[in-house]
Amino acid sequence: MVQDDEHQSTKEHVRIKTILVVEDDTGIGEVLVQAILQETSYLPVLVANGFEALNTVKNIRPHLFILDYKLPRMNGLDLYEQLHHIKEFAETPTIMMSAQLPKKELGGRAILGMEKPIDIDDLLQAIDRLLG
């Protein structure tokens, strides 16, 4: 019976969609993670910069990227380009957040732009639209 429980748990784990949240402001990142954990069935993974994100996707396969635009050493658009050049992530939906969204640069890319401060309800609805 234990094997059945483990098998069922593994199957459920496979069905859980993962969201990679890339946010260098720890406070904002934690609020986003808590909101996603409490209000959705998705699993958020928080990293602080683009280099951590690129390293993280070697081990997990996110179903959605939430990227801050103003990241240290590599901005969100540069990270988006690098992630989407990886074959497995070419079609992965992306939300970009910033107080100063580069709207011109977002055009022509499959990115949903959201202005900071983020309305959590709007973010959760966008996540459900993109992953639902």
Side-chain angles (χ1 to χ4, degrees):
M1 190 59 101
V2 172
Q3 280 185 328
D4 288 340
D5 290 343
E6 287 177 15
H7 183 68
Q8 183 65 24
S9 177
T10 301
K11 286 172 75 175
E12 288 174 13
H13 180 68
V14 169
R15 283 185 277 193
I16 295 174
K17 292 184 178 178
T18 304
I19 300 171
L20 181 61
V21 180
V22 186
E23 171 60 65
D24 62 317
D25 183 313
T26 308
I28 292 171
E30 288 299 324
V31 167
L32 298 175
V33 164
Q34 287 304 313
I36 294 166
L37 282 173
Q38 292 173 5
E39 302 294 330
T40 75
S41 61
Y42 308 124
L43 176 65
V45 175
L46 177 64
V47 297
N49 62 60
F51 295 102
E52 282 184 56
L54 291 169
N55 217 15
T56 298
V57 299
K58 293 176 184 174
N59 301 312
I60 65 167
R61 185 159 190 238
H63 297 83
L64 173 70
F65 299 120
I66 299 177
L67 311 177
D68 184 19
Y69 174 65
K70 297 233 177 191
L71 293 169
R73 297 178 28 209
M74 177 190 315
N75 72 37
L77 278 177
D78 292 338
L79 176 57
Y80 170 87
E81 293 297 331
Q82 288 195 38
L83 289 168
H84 281 81
H85 275 99
I86 299 169
K87 184 179 178 184
E88 293 84 8
F89 305 118
E91 302 296 320
T92 303
T94 302
I95 297 172
M96 185 155 308
M97 312 173 298
S98 181
Q100 300 166 341
L101 273 174
K103 293 179 182 166
K104 186 186 266 187
E105 287 88 351
L106 295 184
R109 293 181 173 95
I111 300 173
L112 172 63
M114 298 190 81
E115 298 270 344
K116 284 184 178 179
I118 295 291
D119 180 291
I120 294 295
D121 289 333
D122 289 346
L123 177 65
L124 294 172
Q125 288 174 11
I127 289 169
D128 280 338
R129 273 195 320 271
L130 293 169
L131 292 179

